[in-house]
Amino acid sequence: MHYDGGQTFLKGVLSSLSSLTFTKFHLIKTEQKDSPFMQAADLLGFFELIKFKSYKGTLTKSEKNFFGEKRKIKKDYLKALSNKILK
């Protein structure tokens, strides 16, 4: 797993999960220029957060202004993104 060190909270979550989930887990600090897939991973992670927040009803005012309400997020962003994700 690669992590760019940008979010302290996320680093704590990843560290906690490593002992519970993965048998072999190495946290490696990287920079986006060193890994061609970092921006894609950031985008997917960001939209997972937006998805979670929309279902919980905790979107910020600026997120609602930019993305719209739950139905619009699901239709315009999440549906299109899910078609692109390898399963």
Side-chain angles (χ1 to χ4, degrees):
M1 173 174 279
H2 292 269
Y3 169 67
D4 67 1
Q7 299 173 354
T8 305
F9 173 76
L10 183 57
K11 183 177 182 180
V13 170
L14 292 174
S15 296
S16 298
L17 287 176
S18 69
S19 62
L20 300 174
T21 309
F22 305 103
T23 55
K24 292 184 179 181
F25 181 90
H26 300 282
L27 188 60
I28 302 166
K29 185 172 180 178
T30 63
E31 300 209 12
Q32 284 191 353
K33 66 181 174 68
D34 298 329
S35 178
F37 298 108
M38 289 296 293
Q39 288 181 339
D42 284 347
L43 178 67
L44 293 174
F46 172 76
F47 274 107
E48 283 297 318
L49 179 61
I50 292 297
K51 177 181 173 181
F52 176 78
K53 290 174 76 174
S54 72
Y55 289 134
K56 287 289 193 179
T58 58
L59 289 169
T60 65
K61 185 176 179 180
S62 62
E63 290 167 340
K64 285 180 185 177
N65 287 338
F66 186 81
F67 293 109
E69 295 296 326
K70 181 179 176 179
R71 184 169 186 256
K72 182 172 175 33
I73 292 171
K74 186 175 180 180
K75 179 183 168 218
D76 293 348
Y77 297 98
L78 300 177
K79 184 177 179 183
L81 190 60
S82 71
N83 293 335
K84 304 290 183 199
I85 297 174
L86 296 175
K87 298 187 182 194

